[in-house]
Amino acid sequence: MKAVILISGNGSNLQSIIDNASKIDLQICCVISNKADAFGLKRAEKANIDCIFIDPLLFDSNLAFDKELISVIDQHKVEFIILAGFMRILSPDVISKYFGKILNIHPSLLPKFPGLNTHQKAIESSEKIHGASVHFVTVKLDGGPVIAKETVSIDPTDDATTLAKKVLQKEHTLYPKVIQWYTQKRLKLIDESTATLDGRVL
Ligand code: GAR
């Protein structure tokens, strides 16, 4: 199944998806970044994947940026969109156009800690367990139905950096697994708050 992957940074999740692509029946048609220096672009290049930097400074609004994004995505005729550390909020236009076709990975056990600085927030809230979630993207920020999660324990010696490392390691197996469910057509977004796996509500 054909997908485009959107990134903003290091792209370690992108790398794990590239490494697993053939095993999970995924064809990565294009990698798009909103950051020129995203290391993920280098990873895509090395894997001979078409990569594109869309410069936000060239657009006078989020909507104008998203129009360009839609145009690039549509040129590649993909079946779904994978957000892998993409640090922009997509406009409702994009989300409704690709309803049920956008997956995101978020570094917390949603619905806990949506938004930024999730590892610091988990430590400050004295959580014992933390982790990552993969969810369908809907208009509510980090609020679409959760498909699967992985957990890690927070040790007394952990800080945001060590915790981020532990969580990322889990992300690298979690995301390819969920993407495979998608390529196998086992996942479906029913409405803003409901998704199914093999016809069963998640
Ligand atoms: C990952 O931890 C991902 O969950 C998070 O950014 C990191 C990207 O790392 N995504 C978000 O925070 C999205 N709101 P990577 O570039 O090495 O894959």
Side-chain angles (χ1 to χ4, degrees):
M1 193 180 279
K2 292 180 175 184
V4 61
I5 303 186
L6 272 51
I7 60 160
S8 300
N10 181 31
S12 68
N13 275 291
L14 168 68
Q15 189 65 57
S16 79
I17 300 167
I18 290 172
D19 294 344
N20 284 285
S22 62
K23 210 171 72 192
I24 61 175
D25 292 319
L26 180 73
Q27 186 186 342
I28 306 165
C29 294
C30 178
V31 170
I32 302 173
S33 172
N34 64 323
K35 298 277 182 195
D37 59 355
F39 185 66
L41 286 172
K42 297 228 160 39
R43 298 180 191 269
E45 225 171 86
K46 197 168 167 208
N48 287 317
I49 298 165
D50 195 6
C51 40
I52 294 168
F53 160 54
I54 304 180
D55 187 351
L57 296 176
L58 298 179
F59 303 92
D60 57 12
S61 67
N62 283 345
L63 216 60
F65 176 94
D66 281 357
K67 268 194 176 163
E68 175 64 14
L69 186 63
I70 287 177
S71 151
V72 173
I73 291 171
D74 286 350
Q75 277 162 30
H76 285 84
K77 306 211 180 317
V78 294
E79 287 146 283
F80 71 120
I81 299 164
I82 298 167
L83 308 186
F86 185 62
M87 304 307 280
R88 276 182 73 94
I89 296 173
L90 294 171
S91 61
D93 275 12
V94 178
I95 294 171
S96 61
K97 180 172 163 60
Y98 303 108
F99 182 84
K101 295 181 175 177
I102 312 177
L103 299 178
N104 183 41
I105 190 155
H106 182 78
S108 79
L109 297 174
L110 289 170
K112 282 185 180 169
F113 315 122
L116 299 174
N117 304 319
T118 57
H119 308 302
Q120 191 58 40
K121 285 178 189 163
I123 290 170
E124 281 166 10
S125 307
S126 306
E127 298 287 329
K128 296 273 178 288
I129 304 286
H130 183 48
S133 313
V134 177
H135 65 97
F136 274 111
V137 173
T138 62
V139 283
K140 191 170 171 212
L141 179 68
D142 300 325
V146 171
I147 301 165
K149 305 184 201 192
E150 276 288 349
T151 59
V152 301
S153 61
I154 302 183
D155 302 321
T157 51
D158 272 325
D159 58 21
T161 309
T162 59
L163 199 50
K165 243 187 221 165
K166 288 204 280 194
V167 171
L168 262 179
Q169 234 174 12
K170 295 282 185 170
E171 292 184 34
H172 297 160
T173 50
L174 173 66
Y175 215 3
K177 179 181 81 176
V178 174
I179 291 167
Q180 186 176 32
W181 292 347
Y182 194 92
T183 64
Q184 291 172 332
K185 300 189 192 293
R186 296 168 64 190
L187 284 170
K188 197 168 161 58
L189 178 63
I190 309 290
D191 60 35
E192 294 289 309
S193 53
T194 320
T196 58
L197 171 63
D198 297 333
R200 282 192 306 274
V201 172
L202 286 161

